[in-house]
Amino acid sequence: MTGLRWGILATGGIAHAFASDLRTAERDIVAVGSRREEASREFAAEFGIPHAHSSYEALVADPDVDILYIATPHPFHAENAILALEHGKHVLVEKPFTLNAAEAAAIRDAARANGLLAMEAMWTRYLPHMIRIREIIAAGTLGEIRAVFADHTQKISADPSHRLNALELGGGALLDLGIYPISFFWDILGAPTSVAARARLADTGADADVATIFTHASGAISTSVTSSRSAGPNTAHIIGTEARIDIDRTWYTPTSFRVTGPDGTVIEDYVSDIAGRGMQFQALAAEEIIAGGETDSPLLGIDETVAIMATLDEIRAQIGVRYPGGK
Protein backbone atom coordinates (compact mmCIF):
# COMPACT_ATOMS: atom_id res chain seq x y z
CA MET A 1 0.00 0.00 0.00
CA THR A 2 1.15 3.52 -0.75
CA GLY A 3 0.14 7.14 -0.20
CA LEU A 4 -2.18 8.50 2.48
CA ARG A 5 -4.15 6.41 4.93
CA TRP A 6 -7.82 6.49 3.96
CA GLY A 7 -10.91 6.20 6.12
CA ILE A 8 -14.41 5.74 4.74
CA LEU A 9 -17.35 7.37 6.51
CA ALA A 10 -20.57 5.37 5.82
CA THR A 11 -20.98 2.02 4.11
CA GLY A 12 -23.57 2.43 1.35
CA GLY A 13 -23.33 1.59 -2.33
CA ILE A 14 -21.13 4.54 -3.32
CA ALA A 15 -18.73 3.72 -0.46
CA HIS A 16 -18.38 0.19 -1.83
CA ALA A 17 -17.65 1.51 -5.32
CA PHE A 18 -15.04 3.93 -4.01
CA ALA A 19 -13.33 1.34 -1.79
CA SER A 20 -13.19 -1.10 -4.68
CA ASP A 21 -11.46 1.46 -6.90
CA LEU A 22 -9.08 2.43 -4.08
CA ARG A 23 -8.05 -1.21 -3.88
CA THR A 24 -7.61 -1.28 -7.67
CA ALA A 25 -5.14 1.58 -7.27
CA GLU A 26 -3.47 -0.14 -4.29
CA ARG A 27 -4.28 2.69 -1.90
CA ASP A 28 -4.23 2.21 1.86
CA ILE A 29 -7.67 1.95 3.52
CA VAL A 30 -7.16 1.76 7.27
CA ALA A 31 -10.59 2.47 8.77
CA VAL A 32 -14.31 2.55 8.14
CA GLY A 33 -17.10 3.98 10.27
CA SER A 34 -20.85 3.42 10.39
CA ARG A 35 -23.71 4.15 12.76
CA ARG A 36 -24.28 0.39 12.74
CA GLU A 37 -21.46 -1.74 14.13
CA GLU A 38 -22.50 -4.74 12.04
CA ALA A 39 -22.35 -2.72 8.81
CA SER A 40 -18.92 -1.39 9.70
CA ARG A 41 -17.56 -4.85 10.49
CA GLU A 42 -18.99 -6.35 7.29
CA PHE A 43 -17.52 -3.55 5.18
CA ALA A 44 -14.13 -3.91 6.88
CA ALA A 45 -14.14 -7.66 6.29
CA GLU A 46 -15.04 -7.24 2.62
CA PHE A 47 -12.17 -4.86 1.90
CA GLY A 48 -9.60 -6.05 4.41
CA ILE A 49 -9.75 -2.87 6.51
CA PRO A 50 -8.10 -3.16 9.95
CA HIS A 51 -10.27 -0.69 11.93
CA ALA A 52 -14.08 -0.91 12.00
CA HIS A 53 -15.70 1.88 14.02
CA SER A 54 -19.30 1.88 15.25
CA SER A 55 -19.64 5.67 15.14
CA TYR A 56 -18.47 8.54 12.97
CA GLU A 57 -17.03 10.22 16.06
CA ALA A 58 -14.75 7.24 16.66
CA LEU A 59 -13.70 7.18 13.02
CA VAL A 60 -12.70 10.86 12.86
CA ALA A 61 -10.73 10.43 16.10
CA ASP A 62 -8.73 7.49 14.70
CA PRO A 63 -5.07 8.62 14.72
CA ASP A 64 -4.19 6.26 11.85
CA VAL A 65 -6.47 8.09 9.38
CA ASP A 66 -5.13 10.94 7.21
CA ILE A 67 -8.08 11.56 4.90
CA LEU A 68 -11.77 10.63 4.95
CA TYR A 69 -14.15 9.90 2.11
CA ILE A 70 -17.60 11.20 3.12
CA ALA A 71 -20.23 8.84 1.70
CA THR A 72 -23.37 9.64 3.70
CA PRO A 73 -26.63 10.92 2.11
CA HIS A 74 -26.58 14.53 0.90
CA PRO A 75 -28.14 16.23 3.96
CA PHE A 76 -25.36 14.94 6.21
CA HIS A 77 -22.32 15.90 4.11
CA ALA A 78 -21.74 19.27 5.76
CA GLU A 79 -22.07 17.96 9.31
CA ASN A 80 -19.85 14.94 8.66
CA ALA A 81 -17.18 16.82 6.69
CA ILE A 82 -16.88 19.59 9.29
CA LEU A 83 -16.63 16.99 12.08
CA ALA A 84 -13.74 15.34 10.23
CA LEU A 85 -12.00 18.65 9.48
CA GLU A 86 -12.23 19.70 13.11
CA HIS A 87 -10.45 16.46 13.99
CA GLY A 88 -7.60 17.23 11.61
CA LYS A 89 -8.65 15.00 8.71
CA HIS A 90 -8.64 15.99 5.06
CA VAL A 91 -11.94 15.21 3.33
CA LEU A 92 -13.11 14.04 -0.07
CA VAL A 93 -16.87 14.67 -0.05
CA GLU A 94 -19.16 12.70 -2.34
CA LYS A 95 -21.11 14.78 -4.83
CA PRO A 96 -23.23 16.74 -4.58
CA PHE A 97 -20.90 18.43 -2.12
CA THR A 98 -23.80 19.59 0.07
CA LEU A 99 -27.50 20.50 -0.15
CA ASN A 100 -26.79 24.16 -0.90
CA ALA A 101 -24.14 26.84 -1.25
CA ALA A 102 -24.34 27.94 2.39
CA GLU A 103 -23.42 24.45 3.59
CA ALA A 104 -20.64 24.23 1.00
CA ALA A 105 -19.20 27.54 2.22
CA ALA A 106 -19.27 26.24 5.80
CA ILE A 107 -17.11 23.26 4.78
CA ARG A 108 -14.77 25.56 2.87
CA ASP A 109 -14.37 27.82 5.89
CA ALA A 110 -13.70 24.88 8.22
CA ALA A 111 -11.09 23.48 5.82
CA ARG A 112 -9.29 26.82 5.56
CA ALA A 113 -9.41 27.38 9.31
CA ASN A 114 -7.70 24.03 9.83
CA GLY A 115 -5.31 24.18 6.85
CA LEU A 116 -6.79 21.04 5.28
CA LEU A 117 -8.03 19.83 1.91
CA ALA A 118 -11.79 19.72 1.37
CA MET A 119 -12.44 18.44 -2.13
CA GLU A 120 -15.63 17.54 -3.98
CA ALA A 121 -15.67 13.97 -5.24
CA MET A 122 -16.70 14.98 -8.75
CA TRP A 123 -14.70 12.04 -10.03
CA THR A 124 -15.52 12.70 -13.70
CA ARG A 125 -13.19 15.71 -13.75
CA TYR A 126 -10.20 13.50 -12.96
CA LEU A 127 -10.80 10.77 -15.55
CA PRO A 128 -8.17 10.38 -18.28
CA HIS A 129 -10.57 11.09 -21.16
CA MET A 130 -11.61 14.38 -19.54
CA ILE A 131 -7.99 15.39 -19.05
CA ARG A 132 -7.35 14.69 -22.75
CA ILE A 133 -10.42 16.73 -23.74
CA ARG A 134 -9.07 19.73 -21.82
CA GLU A 135 -5.75 19.37 -23.65
CA ILE A 136 -7.52 19.37 -27.02
CA ILE A 137 -9.52 22.47 -26.12
CA ALA A 138 -6.40 24.26 -24.81
CA ALA A 139 -4.60 23.51 -28.08
CA GLY A 140 -7.31 25.38 -29.98
CA THR A 141 -8.35 22.36 -32.01
CA LEU A 142 -12.07 23.16 -31.66
CA GLY A 143 -11.72 26.84 -32.48
CA GLU A 144 -14.31 28.95 -30.67
CA ILE A 145 -16.63 26.80 -28.58
CA ARG A 146 -20.20 27.73 -29.41
CA ALA A 147 -22.26 25.13 -27.58
CA VAL A 148 -22.03 22.26 -25.09
CA PHE A 149 -24.73 19.61 -24.61
CA ALA A 150 -25.00 16.80 -22.05
CA ASP A 151 -27.65 14.56 -20.58
CA HIS A 152 -27.73 12.37 -17.48
CA THR A 153 -30.91 10.36 -17.68
CA GLN A 154 -31.62 7.10 -15.89
CA LYS A 155 -34.79 5.13 -15.19
CA ILE A 156 -34.30 4.65 -11.46
CA SER A 157 -37.51 4.54 -9.42
CA ALA A 158 -40.92 6.16 -9.11
CA ASP A 159 -41.38 4.73 -5.61
CA PRO A 160 -42.17 7.69 -3.29
CA SER A 161 -40.09 6.06 -0.53
CA HIS A 162 -36.99 5.77 -2.71
CA ARG A 163 -34.14 8.04 -1.61
CA LEU A 164 -34.17 9.87 -4.94
CA ASN A 165 -37.81 10.91 -4.42
CA ALA A 166 -37.49 11.90 -0.76
CA LEU A 167 -36.98 15.62 -0.18
CA GLU A 168 -35.83 14.99 3.38
CA LEU A 169 -32.84 13.12 1.92
CA GLY A 170 -32.06 15.78 -0.68
CA GLY A 171 -33.82 13.69 -3.31
CA GLY A 172 -34.37 14.72 -6.90
CA ALA A 173 -32.68 14.23 -10.23
CA LEU A 174 -30.83 17.56 -10.05
CA LEU A 175 -28.49 16.90 -7.12
CA ASP A 176 -27.91 13.24 -7.89
CA LEU A 177 -27.64 13.35 -11.68
CA GLY A 178 -27.81 16.93 -12.92
CA ILE A 179 -24.69 17.86 -10.98
CA TYR A 180 -22.66 15.99 -13.62
CA PRO A 181 -23.58 18.01 -16.73
CA ILE A 182 -23.71 21.27 -14.76
CA SER A 183 -20.21 20.75 -13.35
CA PHE A 184 -19.11 19.76 -16.87
CA PHE A 185 -20.39 23.07 -18.27
CA TRP A 186 -18.49 24.97 -15.60
CA ASP A 187 -15.36 22.97 -16.46
CA ILE A 188 -15.55 23.68 -20.19
CA LEU A 189 -17.09 27.16 -20.31
CA GLY A 190 -16.74 28.65 -16.84
CA ALA A 191 -19.48 30.20 -14.73
CA PRO A 192 -22.84 30.80 -16.39
CA THR A 193 -23.90 34.41 -16.87
CA SER A 194 -27.56 33.41 -17.08
CA VAL A 195 -29.47 30.35 -15.87
CA ALA A 196 -32.87 29.11 -17.01
CA ALA A 197 -34.49 25.88 -15.85
CA ARG A 198 -37.72 23.95 -16.22
CA ALA A 199 -38.76 20.75 -14.45
CA ARG A 200 -41.38 18.11 -13.89
CA LEU A 201 -41.83 17.35 -10.21
CA ALA A 202 -42.76 14.02 -8.67
CA ASP A 203 -45.73 13.71 -6.32
CA THR A 204 -43.32 14.03 -3.40
CA GLY A 205 -42.17 17.44 -4.63
CA ALA A 206 -38.75 16.19 -5.72
CA ASP A 207 -37.62 16.96 -9.25
CA ALA A 208 -37.95 13.98 -11.60
CA ASP A 209 -37.01 15.72 -14.88
CA VAL A 210 -34.99 18.92 -15.25
CA ALA A 211 -33.84 20.86 -18.32
CA THR A 212 -31.39 23.76 -18.16
CA ILE A 213 -30.00 26.33 -20.55
CA PHE A 214 -27.04 28.52 -19.58
CA THR A 215 -25.22 31.31 -21.34
CA HIS A 216 -21.55 31.94 -20.57
CA ALA A 217 -19.18 34.91 -20.73
CA SER A 218 -17.84 33.85 -24.13
CA GLY A 219 -21.35 33.85 -25.58
CA ALA A 220 -21.46 30.05 -25.69
CA ILE A 221 -24.63 28.20 -24.73
CA SER A 222 -24.85 25.00 -22.69
CA THR A 223 -27.91 22.79 -22.32
CA SER A 224 -28.70 19.75 -20.20
CA VAL A 225 -31.49 17.26 -19.64
CA THR A 226 -31.62 15.25 -16.42
CA SER A 227 -34.13 12.58 -15.45
CA SER A 228 -34.54 9.86 -12.86
CA ARG A 229 -37.58 8.41 -14.64
CA SER A 230 -36.28 7.73 -18.17
CA ALA A 231 -33.06 6.48 -19.73
CA GLY A 232 -31.55 8.59 -22.50
CA PRO A 233 -28.29 8.33 -24.46
CA ASN A 234 -26.08 9.83 -21.73
CA THR A 235 -23.73 11.41 -24.22
CA ALA A 236 -22.08 14.84 -24.32
CA HIS A 237 -20.98 17.13 -27.14
CA ILE A 238 -18.67 20.14 -27.33
CA ILE A 239 -19.20 22.07 -30.56
CA GLY A 240 -16.65 24.54 -31.87
CA THR A 241 -16.15 26.50 -35.05
CA GLU A 242 -13.29 24.24 -36.23
CA ALA A 243 -14.25 20.85 -34.78
CA ARG A 244 -16.48 19.11 -32.28
CA ILE A 245 -16.01 16.47 -29.59
CA ASP A 246 -18.61 13.73 -29.25
CA ILE A 247 -18.27 11.83 -25.96
CA ASP A 248 -19.84 8.40 -26.07
CA ARG A 249 -22.12 6.68 -23.59
CA THR A 250 -21.66 6.96 -20.69
CA TRP A 251 -19.88 10.28 -21.00
CA TYR A 252 -19.24 10.91 -17.26
CA THR A 253 -17.56 7.49 -16.80
CA PRO A 254 -14.42 6.13 -18.51
CA THR A 255 -15.40 6.06 -22.18
CA SER A 256 -14.40 6.95 -25.73
CA PHE A 257 -14.76 10.13 -27.76
CA ARG A 258 -14.06 11.48 -31.22
CA VAL A 259 -12.84 14.82 -32.47
CA THR A 260 -14.48 15.51 -35.83
CA GLY A 261 -13.91 18.34 -38.27
CA PRO A 262 -16.70 20.25 -40.07
CA ASP A 263 -16.26 18.04 -43.14
CA GLY A 264 -16.67 14.84 -41.13
CA THR A 265 -12.97 13.99 -40.93
CA VAL A 266 -12.08 12.24 -37.67
CA ILE A 267 -9.14 14.13 -36.19
CA GLU A 268 -8.75 11.97 -33.09
CA ASP A 269 -10.40 8.78 -31.85
CA TYR A 270 -9.85 8.27 -28.13
CA VAL A 271 -10.59 4.99 -26.36
CA SER A 272 -10.42 4.68 -22.58
CA ASP A 273 -8.66 1.66 -21.11
CA ILE A 274 -8.51 1.78 -17.34
CA ALA A 275 -9.17 -0.61 -14.47
CA GLY A 276 -12.26 -0.24 -12.29
CA ARG A 277 -14.97 2.40 -12.39
CA GLY A 278 -12.48 5.25 -12.34
CA MET A 279 -13.11 6.70 -8.89
CA GLN A 280 -9.48 6.11 -7.97
CA PHE A 281 -8.24 9.06 -10.03
CA GLN A 282 -9.82 11.64 -7.73
CA ALA A 283 -8.21 9.87 -4.76
CA LEU A 284 -4.82 9.91 -6.48
CA ALA A 285 -5.29 13.61 -7.21
CA ALA A 286 -6.15 14.33 -3.56
CA GLU A 287 -3.03 12.50 -2.42
CA GLU A 288 -0.88 14.43 -4.89
CA ILE A 289 -2.32 17.78 -3.76
CA ILE A 290 -1.64 17.02 -0.11
CA ALA A 291 1.83 15.62 -0.83
CA GLY A 292 2.64 18.89 -2.59
CA GLY A 293 1.70 20.90 0.50
CA GLU A 294 -1.44 22.35 -1.10
CA THR A 295 -5.02 22.41 0.19
CA ASP A 296 -7.07 22.94 -2.97
CA SER A 297 -7.68 21.07 -6.21
CA PRO A 298 -6.46 22.75 -9.42
CA LEU A 299 -9.17 20.92 -11.39
CA LEU A 300 -12.07 21.78 -9.07
CA GLY A 301 -11.20 24.28 -6.38
CA ILE A 302 -13.36 24.70 -3.32
CA ASP A 303 -14.53 28.17 -4.37
CA GLU A 304 -15.78 26.72 -7.66
CA THR A 305 -17.57 23.94 -5.79
CA VAL A 306 -19.36 26.55 -3.65
CA ALA A 307 -20.27 28.55 -6.77
CA ILE A 308 -21.63 25.45 -8.53
CA MET A 309 -23.81 24.75 -5.50
CA ALA A 310 -25.11 28.32 -5.84
CA THR A 311 -26.03 27.55 -9.46
CA LEU A 312 -27.94 24.47 -8.26
CA ASP A 313 -29.66 26.69 -5.67
CA GLU A 314 -30.76 29.04 -8.47
CA ILE A 315 -32.11 26.13 -10.52
CA ARG A 316 -34.07 24.80 -7.53
CA ALA A 317 -35.50 28.27 -6.92
CA GLN A 318 -36.71 28.43 -10.51
CA ILE A 319 -38.30 24.97 -10.48
CA GLY A 320 -39.79 25.29 -7.00
CA VAL A 321 -37.88 22.62 -5.07
CA ARG A 322 -37.12 23.24 -1.41
CA TYR A 323 -35.78 20.81 1.16
CA PRO A 324 -37.08 20.59 4.73
CA GLY A 325 -35.97 23.43 6.97
CA GLY A 326 -36.11 25.92 4.11
CA LYS A 327 -32.89 24.65 2.53
Side-chain angles (χ1 to χ4, degrees):
M1 300 297 180
T2 57
L4 297 180
R5 299 169 299 175
W6 285 84
I8 297 180
L9 192 147
T11 57
I14 197 66
H16 278 80
F18 182 73
S20 179
D21 279 353
L22 278 186
R23 286 300 191 219
T24 295
E26 299 184 337
R27 308 330 282 173
D28 194 5
I29 313 175
V30 300
V32 61
S34 173
R35 295 296 190 195
R36 293 174 46 243
E37 183 175 359
E38 181 181 2
S40 184
R41 290 185 180 278
E42 289 177 354
F43 194 98
E46 179 178 352
F47 293 102
I49 300 171
H51 300 158
H53 297 288
S54 59
S55 72
Y56 300 152
E57 291 77 11
L59 173 63
V60 300
D62 190 329
D64 291 337
V65 174
D66 299 314
I67 182 169
L68 281 164
Y69 173 64
I70 308 298
T72 44
H74 315 338
F76 308 107
H77 287 180
E79 173 188 344
N80 300 150
I82 291 170
L83 177 68
L85 290 163
E86 289 177 344
H87 282 78
K89 313 300 186 189
H90 303 282
V91 292
L92 178 64
V93 183
E94 180 54 35
K95 41 73 25 205
F97 196 63
T98 50
L99 281 182
N100 55 41
E103 290 185 350
I107 295 177
R108 176 194 61 197
D109 294 347
R112 288 178 175 166
N114 290 281
L116 296 165
L117 173 71
M119 180 171 136
E120 182 181 1
M122 177 45 68
W123 57 292
T124 299
R125 290 232 184 166
Y126 300 88
L127 293 175
H129 76 287
M130 286 296 177
I131 291 172
R132 178 58 189 146
I133 284 169
R134 289 189 205 97
E135 293 171 348
I136 292 167
I137 292 170
T141 304
L142 303 189
E144 179 191 354
I145 296 176
R146 306 288 294 182
V148 181
F149 307 92
D151 80 304
H152 190 167
T153 47
Q154 299 183 41
K155 187 174 178 62
I156 298 176
S157 178
D159 183 348
S161 65
H162 190 280
R163 177 187 64 81
L164 210 64
N165 300 313
L167 284 177
E168 67 272 17
L169 293 177
L174 180 65
L175 259 62
D176 260 81
L177 311 178
I179 180 66
Y180 284 93
I182 289 166
S183 184
F184 178 58
F185 299 157
W186 272 78
D187 189 13
I188 303 301
L189 297 172
T193 54
S194 71
V195 174
R198 297 292 185 271
R200 176 183 294 178
L201 304 186
D203 291 341
T204 62
D207 49 290
D209 307 283
V210 184
T212 67
I213 181 166
F214 298 168
T215 55
H216 299 264
S218 66
I221 295 171
S222 61
T223 63
S224 75
V225 175
T226 299
S227 177
S228 62
R229 300 293 177 87
S230 56
N234 289 306
T235 58
H237 310 271
I238 306 170
I239 301 173
T241 54
E242 302 301 322
R244 73 176 190 271
I245 296 175
D246 298 311
I247 313 176
D248 295 325
R249 180 180 181 91
T250 302
W251 69 267
Y252 47 85
T253 69
T255 190
S256 53
F257 69 80
R258 282 160 311 289
V259 184
T260 305
D263 62 355
T265 300
V266 176
I267 299 168
E268 179 173 336
D269 196 349
Y270 180 98
V271 178
S272 182
D273 181 22
I274 68 169
R277 185 180 181 184
M279 297 183 79
Q280 66 269 33
F281 292 100
Q282 61 183 347
L284 295 171
E287 291 194 5
E288 184 177 350
I289 292 164
I290 294 166
E294 302 296 326
T295 56
D296 206 8
S297 168
L299 289 186
L300 180 53
I302 189 68
D303 284 333
E304 184 174 345
T305 287
V306 174
I308 290 172
M309 290 309 308
T311 298
L312 297 179
D313 288 351
E314 171 61 22
I315 292 169
R316 287 196 298 111
Q318 291 189 23
I319 65 176
V321 171
R322 293 181 69 85
Y323 304 123
K327 295 182 179 180

